[in-house]
């Protein structure tokens, strides 16, 4: 088990540096938009530090009945150390309800390995079609899938999750 420390504005530069290393532009907001999320009541940054150096972080939205992991990244210096799996386990133990996250479609070996990592840590791949709305004016929508732990989502649960994400995280009107 690892200790997930609540991060704040003082940690933001390091979080954003790791985010830029780990995610393409379409999968993250511009820096100021990302920083503004720290004002959101449901949003929090959790991290693991060693000697004041940030090794990894989770950017999560806590909706009470489920937690959405918007971003999860491990600094290059700490990859393949087992820290990521320990962080997911700790998050699941500390938060109520299901844990959900977005993954890219299994179109190449890297994306398949990422999905397999989450499956090894108790997540289920939900086949419901899902599109991440653009994260900014210069960003593009991305076809993704939702993974959930500790079990798959029913179709109704999926629709509830999608509606809450579209409304609260992406400020996007869901048509259905």
């Amino acid at each position: 088990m690892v200790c997930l420390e609540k991060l704040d504005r003082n940690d933001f530069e390091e979080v954003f540096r790791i985010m830029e290393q780990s995610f393409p532009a379409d999968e993250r907001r511009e820096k100021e938009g990302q920083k503004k999320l720290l004002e959101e009541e449901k949003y929090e940054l959790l991290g693991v530090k060693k000697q004041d150096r940030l090794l990894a972080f989770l950017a999560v939205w806590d909706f009470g009945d489920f937690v959405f992991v918007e971003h999860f990244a491990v600094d290059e210096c700490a990859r393949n150390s087992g820290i990521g799996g320990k962080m997911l386990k700790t998050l699941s133990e500390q938060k109520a309800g299901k844990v959900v996250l977005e993954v890219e479609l299994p179109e190449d070996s890297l994306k398949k390995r990422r999905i397999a990592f989450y499956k090894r840590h108790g997540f289920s791949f939900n086949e419901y079609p899902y599109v991440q709305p653009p994260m900014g004016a210069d960003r593009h929508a991305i076809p993704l899938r939702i993974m959930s732990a500790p079990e798959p989502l029913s179709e109704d649960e999926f629709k509830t999750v999608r509606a809450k994400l579209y409304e609260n995280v992406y400020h996007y009107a869901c048509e259905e």
Side-chain angles (χ1 to χ4, degrees):
M1 184 144 147
V2 296
C3 177
L4 290 179
E5 182 178 328
K6 188 159 174 50
L7 305 176
D8 59 28
R9 289 193 175 282
N10 297 327
D11 302 296
F12 180 77
E13 291 298 324
E14 193 66 6
V15 166
F16 199 76
R17 180 189 64 76
I18 295 171
M19 193 179 286
E20 284 183 309
Q21 274 180 0
S22 305
F23 295 94
D26 280 340
E27 293 181 21
R28 58 183 159 78
R29 292 170 185 79
E30 289 185 10
K31 190 174 187 177
E32 287 310 308
Q34 201 66 47
K35 194 175 204 175
K36 190 160 176 49
L37 292 181
L38 297 173
E39 300 167 15
E40 294 279 344
E41 181 184 331
K42 292 176 176 25
Y43 182 83
E44 65 181 327
L45 293 172
L46 304 169
V48 175
K49 292 181 179 181
K50 184 176 183 181
Q51 298 164 346
D52 284 336
R53 181 185 171 124
L54 184 65
L55 299 180
F57 76 91
L58 290 155
V60 301
W61 294 80
D62 192 337
F63 292 104
D65 53 340
F66 73 93
V67 173
F68 170 58
V69 178
E70 180 176 305
H71 291 104
F72 170 38
V74 177
D75 190 32
E76 291 173 339
C77 72
R79 290 192 184 145
N80 299 314
S81 67
I83 194 171
K86 291 174 185 167
M87 290 175 71
L88 289 174
K89 183 176 184 343
T90 301
L91 180 71
S92 294
E93 291 168 353
Q94 290 180 352
K95 298 289 185 181
K98 291 185 176 166
V99 177
V100 300
L101 50 84
E102 301 163 333
V103 292
E104 295 169 298
L105 300 175
E107 298 170 333
D108 62 39
S109 63
L110 177 63
K111 294 170 185 169
K112 289 176 184 174
R113 280 199 322 269
R114 201 170 287 135
I115 291 166
F117 165 80
Y118 289 120
K119 285 183 175 180
R120 282 193 309 277
H121 294 286
F123 283 78
S124 298
F125 186 85
N126 296 280
E127 292 288 350
Y128 310 111
Y130 174 82
V131 174
Q132 178 193 72
M135 294 185 92
D138 61 339
R139 306 294 202 246
H140 300 93
I142 308 167
L144 301 173
R145 289 295 180 270
I146 296 287
M147 292 189 77
S148 58
E151 65 256 337
L153 299 175
S154 69
E155 188 171 358
D156 285 343
E157 286 175 315
F158 167 76
K159 288 178 180 177
T160 298
V161 165
R162 182 181 59 192
K164 283 186 180 181
L165 296 183
Y166 279 11
E167 180 182 343
N168 296 283
V169 175
Y170 300 110
H171 305 290
Y172 178 80
C174 181
E175 291 116 26
E176 190 174 20

